[in-house]
Amino acid sequence: MSPLSEEQLMKRQEARRRQILEAALKVFAVRGLRGAKMSMIADEAKLSAGQLYRFFESKEELFVTLIRQVAQDTTREIAMIHDLPGSPYDKLRAFTATILEDKSTQYPFKLIQHANTDEDVPAEAKQLLHQFSVKRYIEQLLPLFEEGQRIGDFAQDDTRRLISAFLTMLSALITLNMPLDDDHPLPNADMLMRIVAGPRSR
Amino acid sequence: MSPLSEEQLMKRQEARRRQILEAALKVFAVRGLRGAKMSMIADEAKLSAGQLYRFFESKEELFVTLIRQVAQDTTREIAMIHDLPGSPYDKLRAFTATILEDKSTQYPFKLIQHANTDEDVPAEAKQLLHQFSVKRYIEQLLPLFEEGQRIGDFAQDDTRRLISAFLTMLSALITLNMPLDDDHPLPNADMLMRIVAGPRSR
Amino acid sequence: MSPLSEEQLMKRQEARRRQILEAALKVFAVRGLRGAKMSMIADEAKLSAGQLYRFFESKEELFVTLIRQVAQDTTREIAMIHDLPGSPYDKLRAFTATILEDKSTQYPFKLIQHANTDEDVPAEAKQLLHQFSVKRYIEQLLPLFEEGQRIGDFAQDDTRRLISAFLTMLSALITLNMPLDDDHPLPNADMLMRIVAGPRSR
Amino acid sequence: MSPLSEEQLMKRQEARRRQILEAALKVFAVRGLRGAKMSMIADEAKLSAGQLYRFFESKEELFVTLIRQVAQDTTREIAMIHDLPGSPYDKLRAFTATILEDKSTQYPFKLIQHANTDEDVPAEAKQLLHQFSVKRYIEQLLPLFEEGQRIGDFAQDDTRRLISAFLTMLSALITLNMPLDDDHPLPNADMLMRIVAGPRSR
DNA sequence: TATGAATGAGCATTCATTCAT
DNA sequence: CATGAATGAATGCTCATTCAT
């Protein structure tokens, strides 16, 4: 008989699995599918490379699993925007600021970027993202943006297109990750909100 | 023996070198440092793989050389903004639109993005970019932005910071290259100009 | 502490050991030395992989042990031929038919084939087989064949050579296991007996 | 320009390719698909492992290519039986003797055996063999056997089944390759012909 | 000098064997 | 003792770089 109860084993398995996914998220987010080495993920997760294969059949499966999870997580993350206080503008601004400031929040977005732009990303991963993340984000944010437009705080563009533009810029900004120039920080949430608010009339 | 004069030889050498750099630009821009294979660059340049090594010691040196050249080229490219017609806003908008529409103009920017975000990019390349390209861009655009701010068309942020933000977003947008969502196109020049124009007062 | 007496323990040990050998026989017979995975043997024996190593130092030792045991078992198996009814021809034919029809009887023969033909089989195993199994089989079958020859049912070849040829063909047939062609079954016992009976005079 | 003419290059390529196939035949025949290491094939062909991949995409493709070629070669080999002198029995006996004596003729047969019995052999290879080799062999030998039966030299079994049995035994014998016992050689052609001739009436 | 063939180091993956629990 | 998790050596395959021709 095993010295650990079935339940304990399951828990440990699950913990280990999460540990790997967390490590893989960091490494894949930073280095992309090709740049990430299984050994790096193993190191980051503090286990041997061989162990990874007890949980995931291949590097590719690990990547796709991560994409799947990230699609879920970010959906949940975005859902929380509605609970923030204030007007639609305030909510979106606060949400944006949080993402731009919190490094760990950025990993998922960076991973998504890599999945969208890297070569040799399995088609399944690209599919997953388009079907389950971006489109869903737009639908999630639709009420907020419509309200923002209704009360005149948001630009009067086509709503879905406005959301898409905003997400694109936010995503790009996160991926960029590094200020182009040491003396000047990355654009902040206020800068980004100009996209949404629309231009000052000149 | 040689049917070519010394001078002709030099010319051929130089042409060959430029040919390689041009090919490398395309391939590195699209696939990044790791994704680009020397064989792809050789194919694109219509040369044998061995020839690359007569001009560049290694893939890495080729990459760094390219970065160095691109830093120069883009400086020249940006300088041309001053010759465009109209107000500072008009000039910047036209410049932005051109870049977003013309694929070949995008290669240098994509390369710079890769250099900034990819792992394993030689520190020297990152240095080069920070020192000689972005800072220089900012100084180049400074008069234009100051004029734009003076006549009230541009937001009243710290000027250098405003330029930095604009360039970051432009750069990110170019690199992104792919719309996040099939149904919605990339943000266009007008969207991007909202960053510069500043927010509509709410 | 132990709820089992020394003797009971010994018994359990011995049972366990037999259980492993039985499982290993099946797996090695079907997949050969290299194709057999220790985990498959463990599964087949309904034990953990680690347990195998309490009884056998290595995969190789397990294999050699098995060969040793199989050499003994088959000797006993063959001895039973003498108890079959009828003439030497009848006995041999019945024996052959049984082997060709009964899958479980085939495991030992398949294992022997693998041991003889696979690369990387420890020299010790090959030795063992030659010394203790085939030679012994021949000696065991010698009286039967001599009697068969005496009464004119068997071909008048050198007796040992005739036995060797018959065993070789039988062994090969068992190992082959798969008909070369879907539409035609494997040669049966009667076909094989032609070797022993000798050719029809033409 | 290349220092070698196009034609010379092609020739060398082709020679190299044949060199690899020859080496692979030996190694795969002896060790099977799994047991054969690409490095062994490279060694046998006197080139580096990396080179193999300039000619064949993968170990599997190399294996399947070999199977395809062997299916052709053996068909040609067998066709030559009709040119041998004497009666059908004489022809078949001479053919059998040649195969059993000439080691190099045995590689293709051994390879076919491995392809038929090893685990993890690509389905395509198994298909190829059943479709293009065994069935074809039977059809090729059909006239010979029918003639042999007509003149009473061959047993009166179903002709195709008789051929199948003969081929199976021949194939098994070749694969076995090693005499079961040092003191007794492998069955020879005459032994094998007993299958075809049918049993001596007892 | 130009070619592309050859090498070999690097990485994904598998599995015998060990060992913490 | 029993388990199965962990390790690491081995092997298929890729690709930067070198070098014979």
Side-chain angles (χ1 to χ4, degrees), chain C:
Chain C
M1 268 296 223
S2 169
L4 292 169
S5 75
E6 181 118 348
E7 193 192 350
Q8 282 173 309
L9 266 176
M10 291 285 280
K11 253 188 204 160
R12 234 180 50 167
Q13 293 280 329
E14 195 42 39
R16 193 81 66 119
R17 195 185 154 87
R18 250 181 285 120
Q19 191 180 6
I20 293 173
L21 284 168
E22 209 170 305
L25 173 60
K26 285 189 199 173
V27 181
F28 278 132
V30 172
R31 307 188 54 112
L33 177 55
R34 305 188 61 95
K37 310 300 170 204
M38 289 300 262
S39 58
M40 294 173 181
I41 296 172
D43 286 354
E44 180 75 33
K46 312 218 190 276
L47 284 174
S48 69
Q51 274 306 78
L52 299 180
Y53 289 85
R54 299 212 348 97
F55 296 87
F56 303 93
E57 294 230 325
S58 66
K59 186 180 179 180
E60 198 168 286
E61 200 220 299
L62 175 53
F63 188 81
V64 173
T65 303
L66 202 55
I67 290 293
R68 205 187 311 271
Q69 186 201 277
V70 158
Q72 287 188 356
D73 290 355
T74 50
T75 299
R76 208 173 315 130
E77 194 93 26
I78 288 178
M80 298 184 346
I81 198 174
H82 299 295
D83 302 333
L84 293 172
S87 69
Y89 187 97
D90 294 336
K91 289 173 196 260
L92 191 61
R93 200 200 157 289
F95 172 78
T96 305
T98 303
I99 287 184
L100 288 181
E101 280 153 23
D102 178 8
K103 226 164 180 220
S104 78
T105 314
Q106 300 185 1
Y107 289 132
F109 286 88
K110 282 194 195 171
L111 180 69
I112 290 173
Q113 272 298 14
H114 274 297
N116 274 325
T117 59
D118 288 8
E119 298 292 315
D120 305 321
V121 166
E124 188 190 351
K126 302 219 181 203
Q127 273 301 319
L128 263 173
L129 281 180
H130 278 225
Q131 291 306 316
F132 294 100
S133 83
V134 184
K135 284 201 177 160
R136 194 176 286 175
Y137 300 159
I138 292 176
E139 297 313 316
Q140 281 185 283
L141 293 173
L142 201 53
L144 188 85
F145 272 67
E146 283 175 341
E147 171 70 4
Q149 290 181 316
R150 203 181 53 72
I151 65 178
D153 279 359
F154 287 9
Q156 298 300 317
D157 308 271
D158 171 84
T159 315
R160 285 189 173 78
R161 193 158 177 206
L162 184 60
I163 301 176
S164 168
F166 172 76
L167 286 176
T168 297
M169 303 304 285
L170 175 60
S171 180
L173 215 47
I174 289 167
T175 304
L176 198 49
N177 141 352
M178 183 197 315
L180 276 184
D181 179 72
D182 286 337
D183 302 337
H184 304 92
L186 273 184
N188 57 19
D190 285 320
M191 283 283 190
L192 210 47
M193 289 304 288
R194 294 179 184 177
I195 299 285
V196 176
R200 200 157 45 90
S201 53
R202 292 176 299 125

Side-chain angles (χ1 to χ4, degrees), chain A residues 124-143:
Chain A
E124 189 189 351
K126 303 219 182 207
Q127 273 300 321
L128 266 171
L129 282 180
H130 276 227
Q131 289 306 316
F132 293 100
S133 92
V134 183
K135 286 201 177 160
R136 192 175 286 176
Y137 300 160
I138 292 176
E139 296 312 315
Q140 279 185 285
L141 292 173
L142 200 55

